[in-house]
Amino acid sequence: MSSSPPGRRFAGPAIVTGAGQGLGRAFAHALAGEGVPVAVADLDGGNAERVAAEIRSRGGKAVGLAVDVGDPASTEGMAAAGGEQLGPPAILVNNAAVFSTLAMRPFTEIPIAEWTRVLNVNVTGTFLCARAVVPSMAAEGRGKIVNISSTTVFLGRPNYLHYVTSKAAVIGMTRALASEVGPLGVTVNAIAPGSTETEVERATITRADREQLAATSALKRVQVPEDLIGALLFFASADSDFVTGQTLIVDGGISFN
């Protein structure tokens, strides 16, 4: 673990949503590795506690929280529980999203219930989590919100219209929220990852598909979670204190903006 304590490079405890697996798990471990106490939030409370236990076994400080980001009471409870157990949240990583379970299909065949669920988790969830933590950040006069979007927004990827729409909304929210909470000392930025290989399996993409996609990139290799850690730590730390409302594409040079 790094010897850098919160309060210097990092302002204090973090909440990472969707952190029971995949990118969220990697983000939680990365922040914990910098000495940041982490509330590992996930819809699956068992997965959340498992990741928190991994962090604790490595000398970090973490708690696991079962959270439904689409539910206002659940997100308020997340902020309260995280604050009670770790201290007022100074960093929020809005990572929770519906994606890996989605089937590719023409937009005319997307069930209305699925459309609603994707927007509720990916967009409303981001809104609710920010709303839950900003008051405590404002009270401290500082805070970092990092939203996870997707490079699919810039590629206009077909057959995932609900997902692409939701991630475009996250970018718009990032910009507008940055303007609103900037006077409170809170920055809001977004990361747009490319297709990233994690331990979470997806029926819609094979290893061969990933390698084919990687061949179209400037760096010619498959993206992994570690490729996103530098951007995350930049936006979550004092290094980005004068950067807000921005979206950083991290996809190895597949898209340019």
Side-chain angles (χ1 to χ4, degrees):
M1 286 178 56
S2 167
S3 60
S4 300
R8 294 184 184 175
R9 188 178 176 209
F10 296 90
I15 295 173
V16 182
T17 67
Q21 60 180 357
L23 288 181
R25 175 174 174 265
F27 295 157
H29 273 286
L31 287 164
E34 294 292 328
V36 178
V38 180
V40 178
D42 199 274
L43 184 62
D44 187 322
N47 280 350
E49 178 51 36
R50 176 180 57 81
V51 173
E54 291 173 354
I55 290 171
R56 292 193 297 268
S57 73
R58 299 178 184 181
K61 187 173 183 179
V63 296
L65 302 174
V67 179
D68 179 354
V69 298
D71 177 72
S74 187
T75 55
E76 291 292 341
M78 171 190 73
E84 290 170 3
Q85 298 184 61
L86 301 175
I91 300 164
L92 169 66
V93 182
N94 274 315
N95 171 75
V98 177
F99 179 52
S100 63
T101 58
L102 297 176
M104 296 182 69
R105 50 166 67 98
F107 85 97
T108 53
E109 297 177 12
I110 294 175
I112 296 301
E114 185 173 286
W115 171 275
T116 301
R117 177 169 172 257
V118 170
L119 272 291
N120 185 56
V121 174
N122 299 10
V123 183
T124 304
T126 299
F127 159 72
L128 290 175
C129 289
R131 191 171 70 169
V133 304
V134 163
S136 62
M137 291 180 174
E140 297 293 324
R142 60 184 181 180
K144 299 282 186 174
I145 297 176
V146 185
N147 297 327
I148 306 303
S149 180
S150 171
T151 195
T152 57
V153 173
F154 305 98
L155 297 173
R157 186 174 181 180
N159 298 317
Y160 277 125
L161 188 66
H162 42 4
Y163 179 76
V164 176
T165 299
S166 72
K167 289 304 187 179
V170 166
I171 292 175
M173 190 188 309
T174 296
R175 294 172 177 176
L177 187 59
S179 295
E180 191 164 340
V181 301
L184 305 175
V186 179
T187 65
V188 188
N189 292 288
I191 300 171
S195 181
T196 308
E197 186 173 59
T198 72
E199 80 278 12
V200 181
E201 294 185 3
R202 281 176 46 203
T204 56
I205 186 166
T206 65
R207 176 70 189 189
D209 292 332
R210 289 194 188 281
E211 290 175 351
Q212 183 177 15
L213 182 62
T216 70
S217 74
L219 299 182
K220 308 301 181 189
R221 68 168 174 80
V222 172
Q223 183 165 352
V224 294
E226 289 73 20
D227 294 322
L228 296 158
I229 299 307
L232 171 75
L233 297 180
F234 172 67
F235 282 141
S237 73
D239 295 346
S240 60
D241 276 354
F242 206 63
V243 179
T244 196
Q246 304 305 308
T247 298
L248 178 60
I249 297 173
V250 184
D251 69 357
I254 291 175
S255 56
F256 299 93
N257 185 56

